[in-house]
Structures are given as structure tokens and as C-alpha cells.
Amino acid sequence: MASDNYEVTPMIERLNEAMESGAFAQVRRMINRGLPAQDVAHLLESSPPKERDLLWSMIEAEFRGDVLQYLTDDIQAIYLNRMNPEEFLAATEGLDTDDIADLLQQLPDTIIKEVLVSMDTQDRHRVEAVLSYPEDTAGGLMNTDTITIRPDITLDVVIRYLRRHQSIPDSTDSLIVVSRKDHFIGMLPLTRLLVSDPNITVREVMNTDAIVISADMPDSEVANLFEKYDLISAPVIDENGALLGRVTIDDVVDVIREDAEHSLMSMAGLDEDEDTFSPVLLTAKRRAVWLGINLLTALLASAVIGIFDATIEKVVALAVLMPIVASMGGIAGSQTLTVVIRGMALGHINSGNTGWLINREFIVGLINGAIWAAVVAGVAMFWFDDMMLGFIIGTAIIINLIVAVVAGASLPLFLKWMKIDPALAGGVLLTTVTDVIGFMAFLGLATVFYL
Amino acid sequence: MASDNYEVTPMIERLNEAMESGAFAQVRRMINRGLPAQDVAHLLESSPPKERDLLWSMIEAEFRGDVLQYLTDDIQAIYLNRMNPEEFLAATEGLDTDDIADLLQQLPDTIIKEVLVSMDTQDRHRVEAVLSYPEDTAGGLMNTDTITIRPDITLDVVIRYLRRHQSIPDSTDSLIVVSRKDHFIGMLPLTRLLVSDPNITVREVMNTDAIVISADMPDSEVANLFEKYDLISAPVIDENGALLGRVTIDDVVDVIREDAEHSLMSMAGLDEDEDTFSPVLLTAKRRAVWLGINLLTALLASAVIGIFDATIEKVVALAVLMPIVASMGGIAGSQTLTVVIRGMALGHINSGNTGWLINREFIVGLINGAIWAAVVAGVAMFWFDDMMLGFIIGTAIIINLIVAVVAGASLPLFLKWMKIDPALAGGVLLTTVTDVIGFMAFLGLATVFYL
């Protein structure tokens, strides 16, 4: 847990200065003695590749696991793949089970086996329990460092039992009450333990309606539960009700951050684990794919324009104005898309209210379409001194804005139903729709009225 | 804290069914007896306006405050503004100080004064303490329900003192150790209290290097500290070191979620407090502004195209292909923009590494520009059987992609320096750049080579 004091930024600044002036002995001392692991991880994440490798080489072997657990997946993978099993074991000694399992999952299967074989039996069983669940479930997120008690003892006995511990695991706000067969019965919050009469039994004060999480619950649902009910820790059980471990708020906070970032990054075709300072070739490769996908959209739009080349040749003002129609549709649609994707992530949207939502978007599209169609029509009329042109672009804008907002509202729902990530595919598909409809409506109407 | 059990979704479904079948007596009973306040809030957030008003009218007066605190700002404002001071006081009785202050801040100043006057002295002082700090600082986020102890008593005395309490406030993981003058000295984690010898003094076991937060620290910095150091609560002090209250993880989780959503929503010109089901007119009004701003960008692009109308009249293929150049630039730029805005939010980007970042983007732009320029040039040559056209569009794409990624990396830094929100203004400015440069490069080159 915590460390030092909260004035870490100046410390990082001092470290940056030391790096720049080449005072490596000083840097090494600061990293390994001065800074908490979280700050060393943040420093690595804020460094370009070469500087990052230099810093990593200065971190002492037994401190590397502490630092690794705070790094983003992209960067973890880089350094984990440079370690052999012995180095991995040395680095991860003393980490929480869930953190070791997280790191292990980044390694090839053969290495995972080698590492597991070298662990002591208790640790191996614990890590294997976590590894047996997918990383993005409660089971993959859980920790096995639970303190369990039995319901029929008195609080005084509980307090004496706790005093035999050197320490209690981080983020322990409750003790877990289990049956003889290790089945979950209830929770005893430490605060209740402290205010209650020591002579009564656990059963009398325990909380039996606590939130319990099954091991296969998706981590985003776990996060929603923690957020909604202000939880600090929650027990994880298997399908038979046997206690497996607990999920703690510190791991859930990471899930919340990643889930929220997922939409932002996906809409630009990026991964939420993306390293800000990933090297040139990796960056270029990842982005090239997204550019290629979007090129198909652009080519389709060009093909639509191509249909009307005779019209454009006759009225060149159409070429001048046509990007406005496509762009207004794109903006209006992406606003709706963003609202709906966020609403879906928050669990606001269900079969009972989608009808209302699409209907509202239709009316909003009509209102804003009418307002801006009038403005653009006026601009076009004055600019090119052509009433007809104003009428055509105005009508095209109204059509495209309505299509855009209805598509923005329905595309993510359709994609979710198709089990495609709406944040990733929604924007590209929407642009395709607004470009094609925009150019088609504008140039099509022009063809009807001018040719 | 928590309540009921974790099977809330089926309950909400049953409630929806009851709503649809008009079994309002049943709905009223479920809302006021069955569901926890968080779920009632979620239900309101997931309902269109009319249904929402109906549900709200069924919530009992004394339960409304509980529900209000979990609602998003937009919806809070609607129902708060329908309450008079007496109703507000009845609804918020028993809420945490920080939650009451949050709700109060949504009301007009005259009502705030009326409410404060009607509160009992202790509550008023507490709420006023929180209200005296901006909502987005540690002071505005803090709670005043701290349990404080003195350093020179024994742990046994602490335990006996706690037993005199009926309960301990939610999210209490530590007691705060203060001097006679109420100055912060250290923290005593409950877990340490429980494992230590009861005969030693608080001073001997307290944590003196705990993270301490000053009341004027921005809430996003508070969130970063909690996230980095896995905190559950942290003391808040004034400039003289006097203890004011504490910040707890449940409030910080909301800040983390809102901060992460801020970028996503701002990039579409939306507010992170936006209600998914806001009514038609409000929605239309808010979105109209953003469409208007983006129309200026589109008009500027049209003006650029207008300069080259003679060229387009001669070679109509230019009108067909020109959206490709602008679109590729827009996509490449927005990827960089998203990475940099996220990196800035995570605190990865500083004066020491921006040079490297812009340089990397330049090279990535060059590589991807070259790759896709070749592809598009090939397509253009075959499509229009014109070598020159291929060469022109290829060159324009390389130019626009490089400008786009360098602008995507430097615009947010420039905007931050200008104290303008990069997530809000970055996208519009970037599109302006990529449209103007894209059309200018493509049509300009064409004018040079064709006319």
C-alpha cells in the first residue's frame, strides 16, 4: 500500500533532471530506495523506449515484480518476455496471487508451466485457482488472501485470533464467515467487530445480505456492483457456494478506468492498453490497419460521387458544397453514437426504452436538420446566386441529418446484437452511412433538378 | 452501504413489467421497500422523461434524498429545482455532508441560504465547510464524518472508545490521529489496531508517512493518488495542517469514472453529465451549438475548394477523389489526438518527452502516408487511367497525413497551454487542419500540373 508522502511529482522531476544530466548512480539510488513502485511504473510509462530500457535495467531484480504489476499490459509484455522463469519468480515473490496470475498470463504457456512447477505448493494452488478463470472475470480478478472465520465463535475470540496475525491483507474491510465446508455464510465488517459487544457471537452481528460475486461474473459487472454499492471488498464463490477468494476495490478501480477508456480508444481504432510511447514501427503497423479500413469507406464515398460526375461537370458549385452535407451528417451522427455507446456501457439502454430513444433522435435530427439546412441554404444561395442550389443542399442536409442520428442510435444496438464491439466498428460504419447518404442525396437531387 | 442481494437486474426487470402493465401500487411498493436507492436511481436514469416523472412521484419523500445522491447531475438538477427548502431538508436528512453539499450546489443561492438556516448548527457548520471549497477539489469532495483519536492513548482505550459508538462511518479503514489543536499527526489503520498489542500507544503503531491531501487539490489529482496508492480513505487538511475531513474511495470512484468519460463525451461536444434520455428540445438545443461550430469548419473547407473551381471544372475526377485525401488525414490525426489526450489525462506527457512524441508521430505519418499514398495512387491511376492523377493524390496524402499526425500531437499540448480543454476543442481544430490542408494540397498540386 501507500508509502512515502504525496509529494511525488517533485521527486519525479528531480529524477528526470538526474537522468538528463547523466547522474545514473543517483537515478539508480532514487529508483530503488526512494520511489514507490507505482511511481517507478509511472516513470517508465512516461518514457520513450530507449530511456525506458535504461531505467528498467537500473531496477533491482527483486523490485521488478512490484513495478511490473503497475505497468500497462503493453509494457508489461515487453519486459516479461525478456525474463526467464527464475527471474520471474525472484521478481514476483511476495506479490498478491491475482497480480502474479495477471503477469503470468502474459507469458507463453511453456514458461507458465515452468514457473508454476518452481513455486511452492500453496502458492501454486492459489495461482492456479485464479488462472483457471478468464482474466476478465471475477475469478481472474480475485485474490486468495482472505481471512475467514466461523459463525459460532464470539467476537472476543475473533479479536484474539486476529492478534495472532502479523498483519491483515490490504483492502480488508470485512472478515468472511464460512461454514465447516468453506461455504460462504456472511460478512463481518471490521467496523462492526469494533463497535459490538465482544461477548456475542459472529452469527449475531454478521451481515448475511452482503453482495456475493460468482467467479464467472464479467469484470465490468463486478465494477458496476462495486461502484453502485460503494464496496471495498466482496467475496467470490464458485457455483456450489464455496468461497474461492475476494475481489478488492484497488483492482476494481483499474477495471473501471479501463472500461471507461475502452470506448474512447476504440472509437479511434486504438486499444485501451496502448502504450503512449510505443516505438515507431509498432505504432505505424497498428495504425495502418485502421487507416486501411477507413480507406474503404472513403473509396465507397468516392464511388458514389463518381456516379454523378456529369452533374458536377455541369455545376461545379456542387463539388464545392458537397463536403458540408457529409460533414454535418457525420457530426450529428457521432454525437448520437457517443451518447448511445456511453448509455449502453452504463446499462441505461434496454429493450423497453430503445424505441423512445430512436424516436427522440429522429425528432432532434429533424429540428437540427431544419435549422442548419436553412442556414446552409441561405449561404449557398448568396454565395452562388442560385435559389435552386439552396433548396437542394437544404433538403440534402435534412435527409442526411435524420439518417445520421437514427443510424447513430440504432447502429450500436445492432452491432451489440451481432456481438461486435460498437465502440470499435460504430464510427466507421456511421461515417460510411453519412458519406454515402450525404453525397447521394445532394448530388442525386442536383441531378434531378439540373440535368 | 450495501443492501439486499446482488440479483438486482431481475428485480428491475420485474419492475419494468409492473410499470408496463400499469400495476402502479406494486411499483410503488417495490421502489420504496424493495430496491436499494442506487437501483432506483439507475431505473430513473434508464427511463424516458414521462416514465421518469411518474416513477419519481411514487418515491416517498424521505427516500428521495437517498435516490438523488446517486443520480447524474443533469437529472438531479431537474428534481432539485422542483423542491422547496422543507422538502429538501426532509429528503436529505441522514445523508453524508459531502453529498448534501453536492446537492445544494445545484440550487440557486437564495434557496441554499434558506436551507442552511433551517439546518441544526453542527450540520450547518459541516456543510458550510464543504461548500467553501469548489466542487472539483478535495475540499468539495470531502466528508466531515471523521473519527479522530489522540496519539498518547493506548490501543485498548481506542477499542473501548470505539465500542461507545453505535456504528463507524462507511469506508472507514483508518482512524485519524490528531494533536490537541486538531492538527493531523498520523493514521491508525483499523487492521493495525486489530493485530497490535492493546497495551501500546497509538503513537507507537500509527502511520506517519500516510498520504495527506490539501483541501485545494483538484479532484482529478486526488483520484490519481487513490488509484496509484490503492487508498480507501485519506485525510484532508487546510493550509495550516488542521484536519478538515476525509476523502473516501466511493466518491473517488465517481471522479475516476467522470474523468475517463470526459474525454469521450467532449470529443463529440457533449458533457459527461449528459442524461441519456434528456428530452427532445434540450437535446436539440445542446447539439445545435456543436453542429454550428462544426459548420464553420465545413464552410472553411468549402471556401478552400471554391478557390480551385476552375481546376475541378477541367478535371472532374478531382471532385470524386478529394474526400479521400481529407478523410485519411482526419483519421490519422484523430488517432494521434486520442493517444495524446489520453496520455495527458494519465500524466504521461511532460516537457521532457513531447519532442520524442512529435518526432515519432512525424515518422509514423511518413511511413503510413507512403504506404497508403501508393495504394490510393494505384487505385486513382487505374480508375481514371491517368498517371498524373495518381502522382498528385499520392503526394497530397503524404503531405496531409504528416500534417495531420503532427497537428494531432501538438494541438492538445498547445490547447492545454492556452487553458482550453483539448478534448473539447481538439477534434474540431484538427478536422479544420486536415480538411484545409488536404483540399489545398490535392487541388493545389492539380492546379499546378493540369492548368
Side-chain angles (χ1 to χ4, degrees):
Chain A
M1 208 158 143
S3 66
D4 235 38
N5 65 46
Y6 65 104
E7 300 232 341
V8 290
T9 322
M11 188 121 189
I12 285 188
E13 270 164 26
R14 284 214 305 280
L15 191 69
N16 272 327
E17 279 164 28
M19 278 290 281
E20 274 164 32
S21 63
F24 296 137
Q26 197 192 336
V27 172
R28 189 185 304 266
R29 203 167 46 240
M30 288 174 84
I31 291 180
N32 294 297
R33 306 281 179 274
L35 279 181
Q38 294 93 324
D39 288 314
V40 176
H42 190 258
L43 192 69
L44 287 167
E45 288 181 349
S46 308
S47 300
K50 267 189 200 159
E51 207 180 351
R52 185 185 284 164
D53 283 349
L54 181 61
L55 280 169
W56 177 257
S57 71
M58 293 181 189
I59 302 172
E60 285 166 10
E62 60 273 27
F63 188 43
R64 287 187 173 174
D66 285 315
V67 174
L68 268 176
Q69 62 173 321
Y70 294 108
L71 288 171
T72 189
D73 287 6
D74 253 28
I75 308 179
Q76 266 179 8
I78 297 171
Y79 294 115
L80 280 170
N81 284 310
R82 295 187 193 164
M83 286 178 157
N84 60 38
E86 289 73 47
E87 285 170 331
F88 181 89
L89 281 173
T92 57
E93 216 188 308
L95 289 193
D96 287 347
T97 335
D98 60 332
D99 294 324
I100 297 180
D102 268 1
L103 293 175
L104 264 181
Q105 269 158 343
Q106 305 255 17
L107 294 171
D109 281 351
T110 50
I111 307 279
I112 296 183
K113 271 187 203 135
E114 273 187 71
V115 170
L116 284 175
V117 168
S118 328
M119 280 183 164
D120 73 44
T121 325
Q122 195 194 13
D123 281 351
R124 184 169 67 241
H125 284 318
R126 286 180 164 183
V127 171
E128 279 173 343
V130 177
L131 277 178
S132 68
Y133 294 95
E135 206 184 348
D136 58 353
T137 63
L141 202 64
M142 77 183 173
N143 228 310
T144 52
D145 60 356
T146 48
I147 298 188
T148 57
I149 50 173
R150 302 287 303 285
D152 39 17
I153 56 175
T154 63
L155 299 188
D156 193 47
V157 174
V158 173
I159 289 177
R160 276 186 283 127
Y161 165 71
L162 289 177
R163 281 202 189 122
R164 291 209 304 271
H165 285 72
Q166 277 294 316
S167 69
I168 296 178
D170 286 342
S171 303
T172 297
D173 63 326
S174 295
L175 307 175
I176 304 180
V177 189
V178 292
S179 70
R180 205 176 289 269
K181 284 180 170 170
D182 233 20
H183 276 57
F184 174 81
I185 298 177
M187 298 286 273
L188 177 63
L190 296 185
T191 51
R192 207 177 285 182
L193 170 65
L194 283 164
V195 297
S196 303
D197 175 355
N199 298 315
I200 59 177
T201 63
V202 169
R203 192 183 302 279
E204 291 169 83
V205 289
M206 71 182 182
N207 184 1
T208 53
D209 59 7
I211 307 269
V212 184
I213 291 170
S214 67
D216 54 4
M217 183 184 280
D219 60 359
S220 55
E221 255 179 69
V222 174
N224 283 340
L225 283 178
F226 268 70
E227 204 176 339
K228 219 180 197 177
Y229 299 110
D230 298 345
L231 304 180
I232 288 166
S233 71
V236 178
I237 55 169
D238 69 9
E239 60 274 26
N240 304 315
L243 182 74
L244 295 172
R246 64 189 186 113
V247 174
T248 52
I249 182 70
D250 52 318
D251 295 319
V252 171
V253 163
D254 296 337
V255 173
I256 291 173
R257 173 80 85 177
E258 278 172 24
D259 275 1
E261 276 180 3
H262 173 77
S263 304
L264 174 73
M265 298 296 274
S266 297
M267 285 180 107
L270 299 161
D271 195 282
E272 65 267 25
D273 293 320
E274 178 106 7
D275 161 16
T276 311
F277 296 94
S278 67
V280 168
L281 284 181
L282 187 65
T283 310
K285 203 174 82 184
R286 284 181 178 169
R287 304 228 188 129
V289 177
W290 192 243
L291 281 166
I293 294 169
N294 280 277
L295 178 58
L296 294 177
T297 293
L299 282 172
L300 190 63
S302 288
V304 172
I305 301 170
I307 301 173
F308 303 101
D309 56 353
T311 318
I312 294 173
E313 208 153 8
K314 202 168 161 233
V315 188
V316 81
L318 297 174
V320 175
L321 295 175
M322 67 184 188
I324 296 178
V325 182
S327 144
M328 296 289 278
I331 295 292
S334 74
Q335 285 204 305
T336 308
L337 185 76
T338 305
V339 169
V340 173
I341 286 177
R342 210 261 314 231
M344 283 164 59
L346 295 178
H348 287 165
I349 294 172
N350 55 51
S351 57
N353 56 31
T354 48
W356 186 91
L357 199 69
I358 291 175
N359 189 46
R360 181 199 60 188
E361 288 301 325
F362 177 83
I363 302 174
V364 169
L366 191 68
I367 295 175
N368 279 332
I371 293 172
W372 293 111
V375 173
V376 176
V379 171
M381 281 182 210
F382 275 98
W383 189 351
F384 295 98
D385 194 20
D386 183 341
M387 284 285 284
M388 179 68 89
L389 192 60
F391 165 76
I392 292 172
I393 198 168
T395 312
I397 283 181
I398 293 180
I399 294 172
N400 203 25
L401 249 68
I402 292 175
V403 172
V405 292
V406 172
S410 45
L411 265 177
L413 301 167
F414 172 74
L415 288 169
K416 196 186 172 192
W417 179 72
M418 293 277 291
K419 301 203 188 302
I420 298 171
D421 179 6
L424 187 66
V428 180
L429 284 177
L430 181 75
T431 310
T432 310
V433 171
T434 53
D435 277 3
V436 167
I437 300 293
F439 292 131
M440 193 92 84
F442 183 50
L443 299 175
L445 281 170
T447 305
V448 171
F449 287 98
Y450 281 117
L451 284 193
Chain B
M1 206 158 142
S3 65
D4 236 37
N5 65 46
Y6 66 105
E7 299 233 342
V8 289
T9 322
M11 187 121 190
I12 285 188
E13 271 162 25
R14 284 212 308 278
L15 191 70
N16 272 328
E17 280 163 28
M19 278 289 282
E20 274 163 35
S21 64
F24 294 138
Q26 197 190 337
V27 171
R28 191 187 302 268
R29 202 166 48 239
M30 288 175 84
I31 290 181
N32 293 298
R33 307 280 178 275
L35 280 181
Q38 294 94 325
D39 288 314
V40 177
H42 191 259
L43 192 69
L44 287 168
E45 288 180 352
S46 308
S47 300
K50 268 190 199 160
E51 207 180 351
R52 185 184 285 164
D53 284 347
L54 181 62
L55 279 168
W56 178 256
S57 70
M58 293 180 188
I59 302 173
E60 286 166 8
E62 58 274 26
F63 188 41
R64 287 188 172 173
D66 283 317
V67 174
L68 269 175
Q69 63 173 319
Y70 293 107
L71 288 172
T72 189
D73 288 5
D74 254 26
I75 308 179
Q76 267 179 10
I78 298 171
Y79 294 116
L80 280 171
N81 284 311
R82 295 188 194 164
M83 287 178 157
N84 60 37
E86 290 73 44
E87 286 170 329
F88 182 89
L89 280 173
T92 57
E93 213 188 309
L95 289 193
D96 287 347
T97 335
D98 59 332
D99 295 322
I100 298 180
D102 268 1
L103 293 175
L104 265 181
Q105 269 157 345
Q106 305 255 16
L107 294 172
D109 281 351
T110 51
I111 307 279
I112 296 183
K113 271 187 206 135
E114 274 186 71
V115 170
L116 285 175
V117 168
S118 327
M119 280 183 164
D120 74 43
T121 326
Q122 196 194 12
D123 281 350
R124 186 169 66 241
H125 284 319
R126 284 180 169 185
V127 170
E128 280 174 341
V130 177
L131 277 178
S132 68
Y133 294 96
E135 207 184 350
D136 59 352
T137 62
L141 202 65
M142 77 184 173
N143 228 311
T144 50
D145 61 355
T146 49
I147 298 188
T148 57
I149 50 173
R150 302 287 304 285
D152 39 17
I153 56 175
T154 64
L155 299 189
D156 194 47
V157 173
V158 174
I159 289 176
R160 276 186 283 130
Y161 166 72
L162 289 178
R163 280 199 191 123
R164 291 208 304 269
H165 286 71
Q166 279 294 317
S167 68
I168 296 178
D170 286 343
S171 304
T172 297
D173 63 326
S174 294
L175 307 175
I176 304 181
V177 189
V178 293
S179 70
R180 206 177 290 268
K181 286 180 169 169
D182 233 21
H183 276 57
F184 174 81
I185 298 179
M187 298 287 272
L188 177 62
L190 296 185
T191 51
R192 206 178 285 182
L193 170 65
L194 283 163
V195 298
S196 303
D197 176 355
N199 299 314
I200 59 176
T201 63
V202 169
R203 192 185 298 282
E204 289 169 84
V205 288
M206 70 182 183
N207 185 0
T208 52
D209 58 7
I211 306 269
V212 184
I213 290 171
S214 66
D216 54 3
M217 184 184 281
D219 61 358
S220 55
E221 252 177 73
V222 174
N224 282 341
L225 282 178
F226 268 70
E227 203 176 342
K228 218 179 199 178
Y229 298 111
D230 298 345
L231 304 181
I232 287 166
S233 72
V236 178
I237 54 168
D238 70 9
E239 61 273 26
N240 304 315
L243 182 72
L244 296 172
R246 64 191 185 112
V247 173
T248 52
I249 182 72
D250 51 316
D251 296 319
V252 171
V253 162
D254 295 337
V255 173
I256 291 174
R257 173 80 84 180
E258 277 171 24
D259 275 1
E261 275 179 2
H262 172 77
S263 305
L264 173 72
M265 298 296 274
S266 297
M267 284 178 104
L270 299 161
D271 195 285
E272 65 268 23
D273 292 320
E274 177 107 9
D275 161 17
T276 310
F277 296 93
S278 66
V280 168
L281 285 181
L282 186 65
T283 310
K285 202 175 82 184
R286 283 183 180 170
R287 305 230 188 128
V289 177
W290 192 242
L291 281 166
I293 293 170
N294 280 277
L295 177 60
L296 294 177
T297 294
L299 283 173
L300 190 63
S302 288
V304 172
I305 301 172
I307 301 173
F308 303 101
D309 56 352
T311 317
I312 295 173
E313 207 153 11
K314 204 170 159 229
V315 188
V316 81
L318 296 174
V320 175
L321 295 176
M322 67 184 188
I324 297 178
V325 181
S327 144
M328 296 289 279
I331 295 292
S334 74
Q335 285 206 304
T336 307
L337 185 76
T338 305
V339 169
V340 173
I341 285 176
R342 211 262 311 231
M344 281 164 56
L346 295 178
H348 286 166
I349 293 173
N350 54 50
S351 57
N353 56 31
T354 48
W356 186 90
L357 200 70
I358 292 175
N359 189 46
R360 182 198 61 188
E361 290 302 322
F362 178 83
I363 303 174
V364 169
L366 191 66
I367 295 175
N368 278 334
I371 293 171
W372 293 110
V375 173
V376 176
V379 171
M381 280 183 209
F382 275 98
W383 189 351
F384 295 97
D385 196 20
D386 183 341
M387 284 285 285
M388 179 69 88
L389 192 60
F391 164 75
I392 291 172
I393 199 169
T395 311
I397 284 180
I398 294 181
I399 293 173
N400 204 23
L401 250 67
I402 292 176
V403 171
V405 294
V406 172
S410 44
L411 265 178
L413 301 168
F414 172 73
L415 287 169
K416 196 186 171 193
W417 178 74
M418 292 276 292
K419 300 202 189 303
I420 299 170
D421 179 6
L424 187 66
V428 180
L429 284 178
L430 181 75
T431 311
T432 311
V433 171
T434 54
D435 277 3
V436 168
I437 300 293
F439 292 132
M440 193 90 87
F442 182 50
L443 299 175
L445 282 170
T447 307
V448 171
F449 286 99
Y450 281 116
L451 287 192

